[in-house]
């Protein structure tokens, strides 16, 4: 998901995603929007930053603490994969959906759970 040298904090990645959205670079907005979501989960200690974790794995882990966002998280992960790995062109709608999901997760209160986000 991240390039090895991408050490930006979630807030900076989210701002880059919003700038890409304003510039009409929908694909960059999708990629950075989902990266901001993933980095933010790690920064909040909600989903451990596991090297090599896929977008779908992160979405699956995030649903443990944000079950109400499960469908949106899965859709955002699928969009990330389609743009990043399958060469799909993002649309303004898909970019906004990913950024709205990032915002919803960033501002949501995590659910109390006894289940770990990363299986043992």
């Amino acid at each position: 998901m991240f390039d090895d040298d991408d050490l930006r904090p979630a807030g900076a990645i989210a701002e880059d995603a919003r700038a890409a959205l304003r510039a009409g670079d929908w694909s960059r907005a999708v990629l950075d929007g989902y990266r901001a979501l993933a980095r933010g989960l790690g920064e909040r200690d909600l989903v451990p930053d596991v090297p090599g974790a896929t977008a779908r794995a992160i979405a699956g882990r995030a649903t443990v603490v944000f079950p109400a966002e499960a469908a949106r998280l899965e859709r955002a992960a699928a969009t990330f994969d389609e743009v990043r790995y399958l060469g799909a062109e993002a649309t303004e709608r898909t970019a906004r959906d990913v950024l709205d999901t990032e915002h919803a997760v960033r501002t949501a209160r995590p659910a109390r759970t006894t289940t770990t986000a990363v299986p043992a």
Side-chain angles (χ1 to χ4, degrees):
M1 281 205 22
F2 291 97
D3 295 328
D4 290 339
D5 60 346
D6 189 351
L7 302 176
R8 296 173 293 169
I13 301 171
E15 181 52 41
D16 288 346
R18 289 188 294 273
L21 183 71
R22 288 189 300 273
D25 188 348
W26 318 131
S27 293
R28 174 59 50 201
V30 163
L31 297 176
D32 275 348
Y34 196 81
R35 287 175 177 139
L37 186 153
R39 181 68 46 87
L41 290 167
E43 288 175 358
R44 292 170 70 188
D45 291 327
L46 297 172
V47 174
D49 189 7
V50 178
T54 65
R56 289 180 192 248
I58 290 168
R61 293 170 183 153
T63 63
V64 172
V65 288
F66 297 105
E69 299 298 335
R72 292 175 74 179
L73 285 160
E74 181 55 36
R75 196 168 50 247
T79 301
F80 177 90
D81 284 348
E82 289 166 5
V83 171
R84 173 82 165 133
Y85 301 111
L86 301 178
E89 289 293 323
T91 64
E92 181 177 4
R93 180 173 175 248
T94 58
R96 287 189 185 282
D97 284 348
V98 170
L99 289 172
D100 289 348
T101 302
E102 184 277 330
H103 181 265
V105 168
R106 179 172 32 92
T107 59
R109 183 179 202 156
R112 290 185 176 199
T113 180
T114 58
T115 306
T116 60
V118 178

